[in-house]
Amino acid sequence: MATKKYTVTLPEELAEEIRSEVGPGAFSAYVTRAVERQREHDRLGELVAWMQEKGGPPTEEEQAAAAAEMRDIERWFEERQPDAQDGAAAA
């Protein structure tokens, strides 16, 4: 992807914190990833708004099903964390 240099104003403390964590050479890549994530978030918000406009707000049943699915996903990820595997081996 082609790149172009832009001037962006950031709070100094935030910018220096990021620079100290990622190093000066990775600062632009970090900011790019942050902007990409925000764009994805914005698009998801637009999708949710569209879905609610077309189908109305989710029912209690749909919300309960989504919450159950989220718990299953979180449990799946927790089981694959290195700490969880170490704890299981020690038990």
Side-chain angles (χ1 to χ4, degrees):
M1 176 184 339
T3 60
K4 183 176 179 181
K5 192 170 193 168
Y6 291 90
T7 300
V8 178
T9 303
L10 299 171
E12 184 176 3
E13 186 176 302
L14 175 62
E16 291 305 319
E17 182 180 322
I18 293 167
R19 188 180 301 277
S20 71
E21 290 177 12
V22 302
F27 186 82
S28 290
Y30 183 94
V31 172
T32 298
R33 286 191 308 273
V35 171
E36 288 170 342
R37 282 192 300 274
Q38 183 61 47
R39 289 293 297 139
E40 291 170 359
H41 184 269
D42 293 346
R43 288 184 183 126
L44 284 173
E46 292 168 4
L47 175 62
V48 168
W50 177 83
M51 291 175 73
Q52 287 184 342
E53 180 183 314
K54 296 296 180 188
T59 65
E60 287 184 25
E61 182 179 286
E62 291 168 333
Q63 290 179 24
E69 187 171 343
M70 183 61 116
R71 285 190 299 273
D72 290 344
I73 291 168
E74 289 170 348
R75 189 171 23 260
W76 186 87
F77 277 104
E78 287 172 3
E79 290 170 356
R80 281 148 188 81
Q81 294 296 319
D83 292 349
Q85 292 173 354
D86 292 343

